[in-house]
Amino acid sequence: MNKLSLNNFIPYGRHFISDDDINSILNVLNGKLITQGEFVPKFENKVAKKVNAKHGIAVNSATSALHLACLALDVGVGDIVWTSPISFVASANCALYCGAKVDFVDIDNATGLIDIKKLEIKLANAEKNNSLPKVLIPVHLAGSSCDMNKINSLSKKYSFLIIEDASHAIGGKYENQSVGNCKYSSITVFSFHPVKIITTGEGGLLTTNKNDLAEKIRMLRSHGIVRDKNKFQYSTEGSWKYEQQLLGFNYRMTDLQAALGLSQLNRLDEIVIERNRQLKFYYEILKDLPLTHLIIPENVVSSVHLAVIKLKKVSPQYYLDVFEGMRSEGIGVQLHYIPIYKQPYFSKFNFQEKNFPGSEEYSSTAISIPIFPGLKEKEQLRVRDSLKKFL
Ligand SMILES: *Cc1c(COP(=O)(O)O)cnc(C)c1O
């Protein structure tokens, strides 16, 4: 890429930091504690309240959150976890961290979300083969919630547990209720990586309505250590004592990050409205081009983490030409995602492409185009002009 196009480069997503955000962090830096102070619990409570969940537990990434969610649900050797192949690798890796097996449910290529009919068929087959999953991780791709009501009904019929990977979807709604309220799941996971809806630099958060899960996740986040005397297993006199009761990790979020998150959270509604506005503007200015858009289901308000267009024909050369053409003009297009089963690390599991026609079609036609707070209308028009040239 030459210098000119680097200066003009429009990424597919970008964080948005305000003066309030900066002041919020400075405030922590000037205070007594920069980690394990008052800001992490404040942030946790504020997110939990915002999404209408009982508990919020902040961690250092959504990857850590997914790992702890699996551990809290006792995923281990001999268990099977299902997720979507059209996701970031972390959605599947969390199962592998726990020694479990991973399998994928194909997506509906119109929405990019887990295909409920295929899920039903796969569950019926798995029941016959004695290979039902312990946990299903639906992924709310691009900010649109999966059909959680239906998934929840199936979870009762086939007794599996549900972790929502809502890394893309904070601020989104399903059936008029906030994503993350865990009405239909045990645990929901959010990501605060800078390309996501709101950021803490790096960071993640779990919500749950279950006291026992929340307690276990809090312990696992910090080495499996307990400091509350009433919960000790061994008797004690001294106030120096703490007990490690589980094999945990250091997955803690710092107060600096939580302060940034608190400040960003104040703008969440605004950000989601702005992302939806930009998406609508794309619909308008791209309506005469030979492409379609990812469908947002009717009972969903998307947080619009991604603006995904779909090319009208499946042709590797055409896809490459459009993609590289736009990149050469400084438009930071991206594919979200290469199907996880196609990653080299997953080759040992011998997944067959033919079992995932929706994912194959999706990943050979979908392109994420830039969308983020601060993206200007004239930049969106530049995206259109570039698309027009290469489609
Ligand atoms: C970003 C992302 C993750 C991982 O988030 P981190 O906070 O970067 O660990 C997991 N799942 C999905 C769907 C993501 O997009």
Side-chain angles (χ1 to χ4, degrees):
M1 211 181 294
N2 64 37
K3 211 166 172 190
L4 187 86
S5 62
L6 262 181
N7 283 335
N8 285 323
F9 186 74
I10 311 173
Y12 81 83
R14 184 158 63 200
H15 60 274
F16 182 82
I17 302 292
S18 69
D19 288 345
D20 283 348
D21 293 343
I22 293 168
N23 289 330
S24 183
I25 298 172
L26 286 178
N27 183 31
V28 179
L29 280 172
N30 286 319
K32 285 195 179 132
L33 295 169
I34 57 173
T35 192
Q36 294 176 276
E38 61 185 305
F39 289 92
V40 170
K42 269 190 187 158
F43 180 53
E44 293 175 333
N45 291 336
K46 196 162 167 172
V47 175
K49 198 166 164 208
K50 177 83 193 162
V51 305
N52 209 8
K54 192 163 177 195
H55 303 280
I57 306 112
V59 290
N60 58 1
S61 71
T63 304
S64 304
L66 286 163
H67 185 193
L68 295 189
C70 285
L71 288 174
L73 298 181
D74 290 320
V75 171
V77 176
D79 293 327
I80 305 171
V81 173
W82 290 2
T83 188
S84 165
I86 300 298
S87 185
F88 186 55
V89 290
S91 309
N93 288 343
C94 54
L96 302 179
Y97 296 157
C98 301
K101 277 195 189 151
V102 80
D103 197 359
F104 299 101
V105 186
D106 199 18
I107 59 153
D108 170 353
N109 62 33
T111 60
L113 306 173
I114 276 185
D115 186 320
I116 302 295
K117 286 207 186 77
K118 288 179 184 169
L119 175 62
E120 277 185 290
I121 294 167
K122 199 175 167 85
L123 285 165
N125 285 333
E127 190 176 41
K128 281 184 216 139
N129 304 331
N130 212 5
S131 59
L132 281 168
K134 180 165 199 169
V135 170
L136 173 70
I137 308 180
V139 177
H140 302 333
L141 189 79
S144 292
S145 174
C146 296
D147 199 340
M148 293 310 300
N149 197 339
K150 292 214 178 107
I151 292 173
N152 182 264
S153 305
L154 289 169
S155 80
K156 288 182 178 142
K157 183 167 174 195
Y158 292 101
S159 40
F160 59 85
L161 299 165
I162 302 170
I163 300 168
E164 295 177 65
D165 186 343
S167 292
H168 298 182
I170 195 166
K173 294 205 152 117
Y174 171 75
E175 293 180 341
N176 270 323
Q177 294 178 358
S178 296
V179 169
N181 70 355
C182 297
K183 182 174 175 190
Y184 297 116
S185 63
S186 297
I187 299 170
T188 301
V189 166
F190 296 120
S191 172
F192 306 123
H193 181 278
V195 296
K196 307 288 163 78
I197 304 291
I198 58 169
T199 190
T200 59
E202 294 275 2
L205 189 139
L206 308 94
T207 55
T208 183
N209 295 325
K210 303 225 162 74
N211 298 344
D212 55 336
L213 291 180
E215 187 178 0
K216 190 167 172 195
I217 293 163
R218 280 182 206 286
M219 277 175 74
L220 289 168
R221 163 178 70 175
S222 199
H223 310 280
I225 283 175
V226 172
R227 291 179 188 279
D228 177 355
K229 250 204 272 199
N230 300 315
K231 302 209 162 116
F232 286 174
Q233 292 176 2
Y234 296 166
S235 65
T236 182
E237 271 96 56
S239 54
W240 61 83
K241 192 175 160 195
Y242 58 85
E243 281 189 355
Q244 186 200 339
Q245 298 178 351
L246 297 172
L247 184 61
F249 306 86
N250 179 354
Y251 281 171
R252 294 187 303 262
M253 177 180 274
T254 67
D255 273 48
L256 296 170
Q257 292 168 301
L260 176 55
L262 273 165
S263 170
Q264 290 251 320
L265 199 57
N266 289 331
R267 293 201 304 282
L268 176 61
D269 295 341
E270 239 174 84
I271 290 170
V272 169
I273 288 168
E274 172 59 10
R275 285 177 170 277
N276 275 278
R277 190 194 65 75
Q278 289 181 14
L279 185 66
K280 291 234 164 67
F281 188 58
Y282 271 137
Y283 289 168
E284 203 181 301
I285 62 179
L286 302 180
K287 68 175 185 296
D288 296 327
L289 297 187
L291 54 80
T292 58
H293 298 271
L294 200 62
I295 304 284
I296 297 173
E298 262 181 15
N299 50 358
V300 166
V301 175
S302 177
S303 58
V304 190
H305 166 55
L306 302 170
V308 180
I309 56 154
K310 309 261 307 287
L311 306 185
K312 279 203 164 163
K313 58 180 176 194
V314 177
S315 152
Q317 190 58 49
Y318 179 57
Y319 188 90
L320 187 73
D321 290 346
V322 174
F323 203 97
E324 299 304 325
M326 293 190 71
R327 278 286 177 99
S328 76
E329 297 205 327
I331 313 291
V333 287
Q334 191 51 276
L335 167 59
H336 297 97
Y337 294 87
I338 302 164
I340 297 173
Y341 54 78
K342 285 193 161 168
Q343 296 293 347
Y345 183 78
F346 285 78
S347 64
K348 63 183 168 193
F349 305 123
N350 291 316
F351 288 107
Q352 306 284 311
E353 287 174 13
K354 67 171 171 23
N355 294 332
F356 306 102
S359 304
E360 288 295 313
E361 198 272 356
Y362 176 89
S363 59
S364 52
T365 56
I367 296 180
S368 304
I369 56 177
I371 194 160
F372 51 86
L375 182 70
K376 305 215 165 49
E377 268 189 22
K378 71 168 198 279
E379 292 174 309
Q380 290 193 269
L381 291 167
R382 224 184 95 200
V383 172
R384 179 206 51 196
D385 293 343
S386 183
L387 267 171
K388 209 169 181 171
K389 198 151 131 194
F390 296 107
L391 281 177

